[in-house]
Amino acid sequence: MRLDGEQRLPFVFLSLCVLVPMKLLPLLTFAGGLSIARAVTVYGVTGVVPQTALSGPNSTPSPVVAVYVPPAFNETTLDVPAIPDPAPPTQFTLQLLQNAQDVNGLSIPQSGAFYGFSIEMSVATQVIGINSSFLNPPFLNLMSLIVERAGHVNIRVGGNTQETAVLVDSLSSGKIMEKDKEASSNPTLTPTLYITPEILYMLRNVSSLLNARWYLGIPMNDTNNPRLQIGEAAEAILGDFLLGFQLGNEPNLYAAHGHRPQGWAQFDYFGEFGVMIQAVANDDKIHIRNNIIGPSISDTFWTTESVWDTGFLQSYGNSLSAISVEKYPNQNCAAAFPSPETADQIIDPQREFPHYLNHKERITDTLAQYLNSSNIAQAMGKPFLMFETNTASCGGFLGLSDSYGAALWAIDFGLQMAYSNFSGSLLHVGGVSDVYNPFNPPQTNASGFSQWSVNPIFYSVLAVAETLGRTNASKVIDLQANTGDIHTPAYAIYENDKIARLALFNYVSDSTGASDSTVAIAIGGGETGQPNGTPASVKVKYLLAPSVSDKQNVTWAGQTLGRWLQSDGRFQGEEQVQTVDCDQGSNTCTVKVPAPGFALVFMSDDAFQQAAPQSTATFETTSVTRTINTATVDQAVLATSNGQNGKDRQKQGSTSKGSTGAAQMVSAPHLAALCLFILAGVSSVCLS
């Protein structure tokens, strides 16, 4: 059944289609007597990743099965970095003032919805849902976790693929999105994207279930023939849930990526941006004239100041609802898009890991360049947004970007942005080639086998939401704790002019406990000239994992979202909030921070309530699927299938003639159990 217009909105059926874990395919026995494979070959982000032999109680020797595991599901972990030398002091005191009016250097008021998500437009139908009628329950559940803490969640659907997006009435396939990969261009292989208005109805239906607000993009790849249809349709369909339109994504890279001639620079961009602003002004189907977001540049080739020097803000300020930049602290492009010219530029994640495990190198040093621009934005009365970020561009670093260490980095990075007077930041979500994703849907719609995977960095969004709370009145200060030690930073949050919460970090990874921090917290008293104000007790929540390298054993206040391919987006376990009794005689509370660890300290019951999760809306599938795994494959087909075609992966596979082991190698074909939807007697198949 297909509904038109606003009639479509209330009819939302939730589907949950999941994947057979590709690493487990060799362990399955299919109809026809397929024997169990003893080893697998896995293609990772840097090529072939050897795996140990697999065996089972009934296994017999058989040909090796080549199975492709995308980087997003690669279990490679890094070694835990050494304890810093010299090690940070393990005991220190935080002497704090009770009232915000007595504190210099506080940030502007911040929202608990500070962190949101930037979903690459080309993967929106994998992440959010198939169409307006079939939404992914795990995605809704994950977003609901943020909404219950922050009041709403901000999501951008865009990225590189928004620049080539074309809105059409319909597609012959019946899908709501198609990629023309033959027209892929530039080093990131961005395909031309065809979308229908159905994708906007899908976003609107998400907002009808929970308070999600959306950023979209107006393509700027052809300013001679502006395509404003996305803006026209989005304004009509999304209404008040539309936050704004990004105009141009990383224009500083247009020339390098072949979208503009060499030599095209800041003043050329200034002129073309003006052409698009005028086109929007002349379009009577776009009614809000000052809802544009820009310039959305990264710091490659251009600086923000070089754009401001063109007169950009003076000329277009009245058309801007927000000023935006994009920044990843590092890049993994040489590994993600290998070529002989860049082979010597590949960054080793193991060597890079320690640079993310401190408060300076990938945090304060990274953000220093934006302090002037954030001041300019404040003077103009405009929000300053980090419109796209994550650990490293081009998909992130395997073993680093998907680790607990990255979660600590993301909390610190988010709070430092808040302290630096950004008004929001969006963590990017790409496809299965990206290891930095906060969450990953199953690779294919193989119902009955697996669910979603939630990476440690998603927990960072929840921690930041609770650190800032729901009042939209939280002001942040970097305390330069422990005499400025970069491995044990701390922030104070003042809410409604009172000390409310403390965020305490320990980047050191030491399983012995010898590097745990002991933090003495004192409110007033001492040399402050104020009376003692330390409460009788405080509450503490911890974000914990066994080590900074761990990927799947993260807990927030004792709860987990499950291991890879085991999450439906809902917390498992009981919440554990610790109560720490204070010594009001000595005017101190003593809080432990494990190594590694993050502790969120609530300085009053009111501060706890303003950040505590409200009642959670949860979503379950309404689709009926097969209750027994009945996937089968003909042995003859299996024996001759080339599967994922290892020979095309930089000739690192062994299915091609003459390769090592070619005589013994067979590959598994694409295996997916179809999701069968039964609704009012009508059945349909879950789309890829």
Side-chain angles (χ1 to χ4, degrees):
M1 178 172 63
R2 187 174 183 83
L3 303 173
D4 295 319
E6 295 185 358
Q7 291 180 335
R8 204 177 312 177
L9 300 180
F11 292 83
V12 182
F13 306 106
L14 309 179
S15 66
L16 178 56
C17 302
V18 289
L19 163 75
V20 54
M22 299 304 290
K23 66 178 182 178
L24 298 182
L25 274 176
L27 297 178
L28 298 177
T29 301
F30 295 95
L34 174 63
S35 60
I36 298 174
R38 296 186 60 80
V40 296
T41 299
V42 179
Y43 296 97
V45 69
T46 57
V48 173
V49 179
Q51 299 290 297
T52 57
L54 300 174
S55 62
N58 301 313
S59 62
T60 56
S62 63
V64 173
V65 178
V67 177
Y68 172 62
V69 174
F73 301 103
N74 190 318
E75 295 190 13
T76 297
T77 59
L78 300 179
D79 294 333
V80 175
I83 297 171
D85 185 16
T90 58
Q91 298 185 37
F92 59 92
T93 298
L94 295 177
Q95 185 76 58
L96 304 170
L97 299 175
Q98 178 71 50
N99 300 315
Q101 64 188 20
D102 299 321
V103 181
N104 294 322
L106 288 171
S107 74
I108 61 176
Q110 298 289 5
S111 164
F114 186 91
Y115 258 145
F117 301 99
S118 164
I119 298 175
E120 189 67 40
M121 182 174 281
S122 61
V123 302
T125 51
Q126 300 170 36
V127 172
I128 302 172
I130 298 172
N131 53 40
S132 67
S133 297
F134 289 90
L135 308 178
N136 288 327
F139 174 77
L140 296 174
N141 287 332
L142 291 170
M143 296 305 102
S144 182
L145 290 175
I146 300 166
V147 172
E148 68 172 327
R149 288 161 170 79
H152 67 278
V153 60
N154 300 327
I155 308 171
R156 168 213 191 193
V157 177
N160 285 329
T161 48
Q162 78 182 31
E163 296 285 52
T164 61
V166 178
L167 185 70
V168 296
D169 291 336
S170 62
L171 294 166
S172 58
S173 65
K175 296 182 179 181
I176 67 175
M177 178 189 299
E178 283 188 351
K179 306 170 190 176
D180 184 358
K181 294 184 179 179
E182 297 300 322
S184 296
S185 60
N186 74 56
T188 60
L189 303 177
T190 303
T192 295
L193 205 62
Y194 295 97
I195 63 174
T196 74
E198 181 76 6
I199 194 170
L200 301 174
Y201 285 107
M202 178 176 71
L203 304 186
R204 178 61 178 82
N205 280 351
V206 172
S207 297
S208 72
L209 296 171
L210 52 89
N211 193 2
R213 305 174 186 180
W214 306 93
Y215 295 106
L216 291 170
I218 293 177
M220 197 176 162
N221 65 329
D222 185 359
T223 54
N224 292 320
N225 301 284
R227 299 195 307 280
L228 305 180
Q229 293 86 352
I230 293 176
E232 296 169 355
E235 195 175 273
I237 295 170
L238 294 177
D240 291 341
F241 293 108
L242 176 66
L243 291 171
F245 296 111
Q246 181 191 28
L247 182 53
N249 182 67
E250 293 186 314
N252 54 298
L253 297 178
Y254 282 180
H257 288 175
H259 299 316
R260 297 293 191 278
Q262 292 300 311
W264 189 89
Q266 290 90 325
F267 279 95
D268 301 293
Y269 165 69
F270 172 85
E272 291 194 31
F273 195 90
V275 170
M276 296 297 294
I277 290 292
Q278 189 59 50
V280 170
N282 294 338
D283 190 330
D284 58 9
K285 295 182 180 179
I286 298 179
H287 304 287
I288 303 175
R289 307 300 188 192
N290 60 345
N291 210 19
I292 301 299
I293 297 167
S296 301
I297 65 165
S298 59
D299 62 351
T300 305
F301 307 126
W302 300 1
T303 65
T304 51
E305 279 71 19
S306 71
V307 176
W308 308 155
D309 288 345
T310 67
F312 179 90
L313 294 176
Q314 294 91 328
S315 297
Y316 306 131
N318 290 336
S319 299
L320 297 175
S321 60
I323 298 169
S324 60
V325 294
E326 301 182 11
K327 175 64 181 177
Y328 293 77
N330 209 333
Q331 52 80 26
N332 193 36
C333 301
F337 304 101
S339 70
E341 294 77 16
T342 61
D344 60 346
Q345 300 174 22
I346 294 176
I347 297 171
D348 179 1
Q350 186 66 62
R351 292 187 178 184
E352 182 64 15
F353 203 10
H355 300 300
Y356 283 80
L357 299 177
N358 69 73
H359 185 57
K360 183 177 186 295
E361 294 177 81
R362 298 294 180 257
I363 296 177
T364 58
D365 287 356
T366 295
L367 295 173
Q369 64 183 298
Y370 297 113
L371 297 180
N372 178 55
S373 293
S374 71
N375 288 333
I376 292 172
Q378 286 180 74
M380 295 180 64
K382 304 286 185 183
F384 188 53
L385 303 176
M386 181 64 77
F387 215 61
E388 179 181 321
T389 191
N390 212 304
T391 47
S393 60
C394 296
F397 295 113
L398 179 62
L400 189 164
S401 299
D402 47 0
S403 72
Y404 172 66
L408 293 177
W409 167 85
I411 300 172
D412 198 357
F413 194 58
L415 294 179
Q416 188 66 205
M417 283 188 283
Y419 170 58
S420 302
N421 294 325
F422 283 79
S423 291
S425 178
L426 306 175
L427 291 172
H428 199 53
V429 181
V432 293
S433 295
D434 300 328
V435 298
Y436 56 42
N437 296 334
F439 40 78
N440 289 296
Q443 188 183 2
T444 58
N445 296 326
S447 178
F449 292 107
S450 300
Q451 301 189 66
W452 280 41
S453 303
V454 179
N455 277 334
I457 204 170
F458 179 80
Y459 293 82
S460 307
V461 180
L462 302 180
V464 169
E466 292 193 39
T467 301
L468 297 176
R470 285 186 302 278
T471 63
N472 299 321
S474 293
K475 297 180 180 181
V476 183
I477 187 166
D478 184 337
L479 296 173
Q480 299 297 313
N482 205 5
T483 62
D485 184 85
I486 62 175
H487 299 101
T488 55
Y491 297 86
I493 289 80
Y494 286 80
E495 191 172 64
N496 296 323
D497 295 327
K498 297 290 185 182
I499 184 72
R501 290 173 285 277
L502 298 177
L504 311 177
F505 295 79
N506 190 339
Y507 278 111
V508 180
S509 195
D510 180 2
S511 60
T512 69
S515 300
D516 293 357
S517 297
T518 301
V519 185
I521 302 165
I523 308 299
E527 298 179 359
T528 66
Q530 296 183 348
N532 291 353
T534 300
S537 65
V538 296
K539 290 182 172 65
V540 185
K541 286 187 176 183
Y542 288 99
L543 183 73
L544 298 175
S547 77
V548 291
S549 297
D550 199 282
K551 293 186 175 188
Q552 300 192 55
N553 297 291
V554 179
T555 58
W556 174 232
Q559 294 181 300
T560 177
L561 288 163
R563 297 177 65 82
W564 283 357
L565 300 169
Q566 294 180 10
S567 179
D568 63 2
R570 295 180 292 185
F571 267 128
Q572 303 168 18
E574 295 295 323
E575 184 180 53
Q576 299 172 10
V577 180
Q578 297 191 18
T579 298
V580 176
D581 293 328
C582 303
D583 185 343
Q584 290 185 299
S586 64
N587 195 42
T588 57
C589 286
T590 301
V591 174
K592 295 277 190 180
V593 186
F598 169 76
L600 177 57
V601 183
F602 302 88
M603 300 305 297
S604 68
D605 288 340
D606 185 59
F608 180 78
Q609 293 301 324
Q610 293 293 350
Q614 303 297 291
S615 58
T616 307
T618 60
F619 303 89
E620 298 182 6
T621 180
T622 59
S623 300
V624 177
T625 64
R626 293 184 180 185
T627 58
I628 301 175
N629 297 332
T630 56
T632 62
V633 61
D634 183 90
Q635 277 192 296
V637 174
L638 179 67
T640 58
S641 168
N642 238 4
Q644 289 289 327
N645 201 355
K647 70 183 180 65
D648 290 334
R649 299 183 184 279
Q650 292 79 52
K651 300 188 183 301
Q652 294 175 333
S654 52
T655 57
S656 55
K657 183 178 180 180
S659 297
T660 302
Q664 291 83 28
M665 176 68 72
V666 296
S667 300
H670 300 287
L671 297 175
L674 298 180
C675 294
L676 182 63
F677 299 129
I678 310 297
L679 180 64
V682 180
S683 64
S684 62
V685 172
C686 188
L687 303 178
S688 306

